[in-house]
Amino acid sequence: MRVPESPVGLSTASVYPQGVATAFEMAASLGYDGVELMVWTDPVSQDIDQVHDLAQRYGMPVLSVHAPCLLITQRVWSPDPMQRLTRSLEAARRLGSSTVVVHPPFRWQREYARNFVETVARLEDESGVTIAVENMYPWRAAGREVAAYAPDWDPTDEDYRHITLDLSHAAVAGMDSLEMAESLGDRLSHVHMTDGTGSSRDEHLIPGRGKQPCSALLERLARIEWSGAVILEVTTRRARSTAEREADLAEALAFTRLNLAASVQTAFAVGPDGTAQMVARARERAEGGMTSGA
């Protein structure tokens, strides 16, 4: 077997509506290698000293920082998107993170969008931190596509050095994440492991529950000995208890660990029975070790 050095981390957004502290606790108890800090409306996510303390308490490194660039985070840290990006780089340096994830600018952020590709390259050189621009998807309204991002929702068309591949976003865009990974080559620096059915909604499903080639992508990363971080960025907001949320995150981790490996001779694929057995054990562990509570 060939298992790459890629760390498998948990996005702090994956425990919503619970907060950052819960994400660190669950990541540690389930055996994740670290976390990705999603900076958003949770006050703890915006306080880098508190995040640093949580990382020390749980022995969970912050592998990456996701800059606040969602619609709901347009005033987190600053209404100026450039300030939010530079503060994310400062947070990454403070936390010892190697990567900042950022979305392409919204089209109405004209000043920010102007020369964005060149600005990202300059900030990388100045900070020594990788800025991995994430693939997004076209917005749709009344059956039409809306151009929401500039230069484009698809960063593969631009000269970014580093790109984050999000499988749920690929699903919404009607793209094949495995083909995207192959076309990106060395520019693929970071992965948001999740899934989607191809719906117009950004679903962020547990990998294996949608239609994206999650297994094949992970196996390919193993075969090429890829060393970037694989971050589980999934939604568990429908979980009815903390134990059920932990079980979902245990399943996501089990799926990723099992598939992030390849036979030296053949393209090894984990069969459904093996996956189910490991997931069942993970669920038993989660349900036995956690008390119920939303």
Side-chain angles (χ1 to χ4, degrees):
M1 295 296 295
R2 177 185 297 148
V3 180
E5 297 179 357
S6 304
V8 179
L10 178 67
S11 169
T12 58
S14 296
V15 304
Y16 180 83
Q18 293 180 283
V20 172
T22 298
F24 273 94
E25 181 181 4
M26 286 191 178
S29 67
L30 292 172
Y32 281 83
D33 298 319
V35 305
E36 174 170 293
L37 173 67
M38 170 70 82
V39 181
W40 61 348
T41 54
D42 179 353
V44 176
S45 75
Q46 302 170 33
D47 188 328
I48 302 308
D49 288 337
Q50 286 194 60
V51 174
H52 181 270
D53 290 346
L54 287 168
Q56 295 295 310
R57 182 189 311 168
Y58 290 103
M60 282 281 103
V62 180
L63 302 171
S64 44
V65 174
H66 196 310
C69 40
L70 303 172
L71 282 175
I72 63 171
T73 60
Q74 293 302 290
R75 293 192 174 274
V76 169
W77 280 347
S78 169
D80 180 353
M82 184 59 70
Q83 287 294 320
R84 294 198 297 272
L85 178 54
T86 55
R87 285 196 62 172
S88 298
L89 290 167
E90 293 168 2
R93 290 196 297 267
R94 167 81 170 92
L95 297 168
S97 309
S98 61
T99 300
V100 164
V101 176
V102 67
H103 295 176
F106 289 117
R107 186 163 294 279
W108 56 84
Q109 297 170 326
R110 295 180 180 177
E111 187 63 30
Y112 180 54
R114 186 177 294 118
N115 302 318
F116 182 71
V117 178
E118 294 78 10
T119 299
V120 165
R122 175 178 59 80
L123 291 174
E124 283 189 315
D125 290 339
E126 292 174 355
S127 67
V129 176
T130 293
I131 302 176
V133 182
E134 186 171 0
N135 64 302
M136 298 306 292
Y137 46 84
W139 290 9
R140 298 182 178 92
R144 295 183 178 181
E145 288 192 1
V146 178
Y149 297 98
D152 192 4
W153 57 265
D154 182 3
T156 64
D157 295 334
E158 308 300 329
D159 291 330
Y160 299 114
R161 299 172 187 168
H162 304 103
I163 290 178
T164 295
L165 174 56
D166 184 298
L167 280 74
S168 178
H169 296 174
V172 178
M175 302 182 75
D176 183 297
S177 55
L178 179 59
E179 292 178 359
M180 289 181 68
E182 291 171 345
S183 67
L184 284 171
D186 293 341
R187 293 202 295 159
L188 178 61
S189 304
H190 199 73
V191 169
H192 281 167
M193 178 50 53
T194 180
D195 209 341
T197 63
S199 164
S200 60
R201 294 185 301 108
D202 186 15
E203 297 169 292
H204 281 276
L205 302 176
I206 303 295
R209 296 184 184 180
K211 298 180 180 178
Q212 282 291 303
C214 301
S215 298
L217 173 60
L218 290 166
E219 291 157 14
R220 181 181 187 277
L221 296 180
R223 289 196 300 274
I224 65 174
E225 299 182 333
W226 189 75
S227 58
V230 177
I231 303 296
L232 272 300
E233 189 185 79
V234 298
T235 181
T236 61
R237 66 184 63 191
R238 293 185 179 179
R240 294 165 295 182
S241 66
T242 296
E244 187 172 319
R245 174 166 292 112
E246 188 178 47
D248 280 343
L249 297 178
E251 177 182 333
L253 179 60
F255 180 98
T256 302
R257 293 258 193 240
L258 283 165
N259 286 284
L260 192 61
S263 169
V264 175
Q265 290 81 22
T266 62
F268 176 77
V270 177
D273 290 342
T275 303
Q277 291 171 7
M278 186 168 180
V279 167
R281 289 196 296 272
R283 283 185 174 275
E284 288 173 3
R285 174 188 173 194
E287 292 169 1
M290 295 290 291
T291 59
S292 176

